[in-house]
Amino acid sequence: MWLLTLATLLLRVAPSHQQFPRLCATAAALRTKECCPPWDGDGSPCGASSGRGFCQDVEFTHQPDGPQYPFIGLDDREKWPSVFYNRTCQCVGNFMGFNCADCKYGYFGAKCSERRESLRRNILHLSRSERIRLVSYLNLAKQSVSSDYVVATGTYEEMENGSNPMFAEVSVYDVFVWMHYYVSRNALLGGPGNVWTNLFLPWHRAYLLHWEREIRKLTGDPTFSIPYWDWRDAQGCDVCTDELMGAQSPQDPSFLSPGSVFSSWKTLCSTPEDYNNRGVLCDARQEGPLRRNPGNHNRNLVERLPTSADVAFTLSLTQYDTGAMDRSSNMSFRNTVEGFGDPKTGLGNSSRLGMHAAIHVFLNGTMSSVQASANDPIFLLHHTFVDRRHRPPPSQYPDSDAPIGHNGGYHMVPFLPLHRNRDYFISSKDLGYEYSNLLDA
């Protein structure tokens, strides 16, 4: 389970960078299984000549996984990134990045020695100019081809063990759409329709941090921070306006209003059932428009948007996870915030979805497909709000027997350089950001 059960993704997880750096998407890099690109500052791999990092063998954990994924050696994401690379850059000090060119989150400057915190705010509290800036930045990211990254369109086997690289160029925004698809996609076991659907991994914090950084790089605006949507007690989608994330089309309420820039966006990897039926990866081609019809969802699955009482109860749960660490877990913060535990009783295997999962279902469109959900910009606002909710003690992170990809020592898929889950099960302040509503707490 590399991804979902869903909101475990939202945990405090490692900052890092995503696959695949262009410089590592070559036949030479794949055949040698080495991803140690040079740093432009001195031309040496990983900036080694300047003491920024070194090219080192990857160390893998041998702790047992849980029983949810009963296979070995059938999916490229197992023991990440061993199928693709066994040597990567290991950065030192406050340096990070696939070639150690960047700073750890919260640090800035040429030597990454300047400490600075950013602030994430409620989107409804932004000024008109700040809202315009947010929408324009999102659209710029959607229209700009990523200069650093490409996305995989085939498995390592289909790449003939690296001899035939299969990658595609996409926009800065769509790199992140693809990342979420890749980590949450079904496991391909060989042949059409032969897939494994139980996927799981806690990584949304890293995802949001890296997305924030890429926007800052693209726009040259170091002050940019992702806002959040506080959906507690909301009677509808109050961010679904043309000034923000797009209103409903008067012609067809399942599409976005032509008055919103997002109505012209094309989705990526938005038909996962088709890829699963054919037993292939998403080919990264543009597909149909965004869909969203908030509130016209299956009421038997989600009764309403979460309330303040639901959130308060979830936050009162003292154990990060319990039992099998899956949907059946009782009195588990992780399972309840994901939406599979009842937010009134804490009992797992709830017949109705709550908390995080309820928002995805309520929006009733692209957001309702786990693997396609990151196409909708509301995804960012939603996950930023969930990210702010919990600060578990590091001692509660499981070192073994968790669903695959979730053990504390497991490298997060598909990030490069490598970071282990447990190392970033920490406060947001330690990662260089805070939330406006928590400053007085």
Side-chain angles (χ1 to χ4, degrees):
M1 308 180 146
W2 287 271
L3 187 94
L4 293 234
T5 41
L6 283 156
T8 308
L9 322 177
L10 322 176
L11 306 183
R12 302 342 208 190
V13 292
S16 57
H17 295 263
Q18 71 223 43
Q19 74 160 352
F20 283 85
R22 285 178 180 270
L23 296 174
C24 296
T26 65
L30 293 170
R31 282 198 300 266
T32 60
K33 289 183 174 286
E34 182 172 293
C35 181
C36 295
W39 174 51
D40 289 342
D42 63 14
S44 67
C46 314
S49 297
S50 300
R52 298 177 77 95
F54 305 92
C55 188
Q56 295 184 353
D57 292 344
V58 178
E59 296 181 0
F60 298 98
T61 178
H62 299 291
Q63 292 290 340
D65 295 314
Q68 293 87 350
Y69 177 77
F71 308 105
I72 296 177
L74 290 178
D75 192 280
D76 289 349
R77 296 165 295 181
E78 296 176 37
K79 296 291 183 184
W80 181 261
S82 62
V83 170
F84 294 98
Y85 311 108
N86 55 31
R87 285 175 63 80
T88 64
C89 286
Q90 305 296 310
C91 307
V92 300
N94 293 331
F95 300 113
M96 68 176 292
F98 61 82
N99 60 351
C100 303
D102 296 323
C103 301
K104 283 184 177 179
Y105 297 115
Y107 290 89
F108 298 83
K111 296 184 177 180
C112 299
S113 57
E114 302 170 22
R115 177 73 175 169
R116 194 188 314 161
E117 275 189 15
S118 58
L119 185 66
R120 293 179 179 174
R121 299 163 57 203
N122 187 324
I123 189 171
L124 299 180
H125 296 168
L126 301 183
S127 67
R128 184 173 184 275
S129 62
E130 288 170 329
R131 296 181 184 197
I132 292 172
R133 182 183 69 161
L134 171 65
V135 171
S136 66
Y137 282 5
L138 286 166
N139 197 46
L140 179 64
K142 184 70 171 180
Q143 308 305 327
S144 303
V145 174
S146 173
S147 60
D148 289 332
Y149 305 104
V150 290
V151 302
T153 58
T155 64
Y156 191 70
E157 182 179 6
E158 291 170 333
M159 295 185 199
E160 300 172 8
N161 298 328
S163 298
N164 180 33
M166 298 173 65
F167 299 95
E169 288 190 338
V170 295
S171 72
V172 171
Y173 189 95
D174 284 341
V175 167
F176 291 89
V177 173
W178 177 88
M179 280 184 70
H180 193 266
Y181 156 79
Y182 187 80
V183 75
S184 63
R185 67 173 176 82
N186 295 346
L188 308 178
L189 306 182
N194 190 14
V195 299
W196 182 256
T197 60
N198 232 358
L199 305 174
F200 178 98
L201 179 74
W203 64 240
H204 276 88
R205 169 165 279 189
Y207 178 93
L208 294 170
L209 281 165
H210 188 42
W211 192 92
E212 216 165 41
R213 169 169 284 170
E214 289 301 299
I215 292 296
R216 290 170 181 170
K217 286 182 179 180
L218 179 66
T219 62
D221 182 355
T223 68
F224 174 77
S225 293
I226 307 172
Y228 60 85
W229 174 30
D230 185 345
W231 33 250
R232 291 174 298 174
D233 305 313
Q235 298 304 303
C237 181
D238 46 13
V239 297
C240 294
T241 66
D242 283 346
E243 185 186 28
L244 292 173
M245 299 297 104
Q248 291 175 271
S249 170
Q251 286 76 37
D252 186 338
S254 63
F255 293 97
L256 302 190
S257 160
S260 167
V261 66
F262 302 119
S263 66
S264 64
W265 279 23
K266 299 298 182 183
T267 57
L268 189 83
C269 306
S270 60
T271 55
E273 297 82 4
D274 175 54
Y275 303 124
N276 294 336
N277 290 338
R278 292 189 285 131
V280 298
L281 288 182
C282 162
D283 59 14
R285 296 179 184 175
Q286 289 191 338
E287 298 176 9
L290 286 172
R291 291 177 174 269
R292 195 193 301 146
N293 194 356
N296 293 303
H297 60 284
N298 183 351
R299 298 280 173 167
N300 292 322
L301 193 59
V302 170
E303 183 180 7
R304 50 166 172 70
L305 289 171
T307 65
S308 295
D310 293 338
V311 172
F313 175 84
T314 302
L315 292 174
S316 74
L317 298 172
T318 57
Q319 290 183 282
Y320 166 67
D321 216 346
T322 63
M325 293 179 273
D326 58 18
R327 296 187 184 202
S328 68
S329 298
N330 296 322
M331 307 307 291
S332 156
F333 169 82
R334 189 271 314 155
N335 199 35
T336 306
V337 77
E338 285 187 16
F340 305 117
D342 191 311
K344 292 183 173 59
T345 66
L347 298 180
N349 284 329
S350 176
S351 61
R352 284 181 166 170
L353 298 178
M355 293 296 288
H356 158 266
I359 308 303
H360 282 270
V361 175
F362 170 83
L363 288 170
N364 190 32
T366 306
M367 267 283 280
S368 303
S369 167
V370 170
Q371 296 170 35
S373 57
N375 280 288
D376 192 327
I378 292 181
F379 176 92
L380 297 165
L381 311 181
H382 170 43
H383 280 266
T384 302
F385 183 64
V386 178
D387 176 77
R388 81 194 241 285
R389 299 313 308 170
H390 190 47
R391 303 181 179 191
S395 61
Q396 288 200 14
Y397 204 96
D399 284 327
S400 65
D401 301 310
I404 191 167
H406 192 47
N407 284 346
Y410 206 100
H411 298 126
M412 294 184 295
V413 180
F415 292 103
L416 290 168
L418 304 176
H419 296 277
R420 301 182 189 276
N421 289 318
R422 63 167 173 260
D423 293 341
Y424 293 88
F425 201 63
I426 56 178
S427 163
S428 66
K429 287 180 69 68
D430 293 330
L431 295 171
Y433 69 100
E434 185 57 281
Y435 288 94
S436 58
N437 67 308
L438 299 179
L439 288 179
D440 298 328

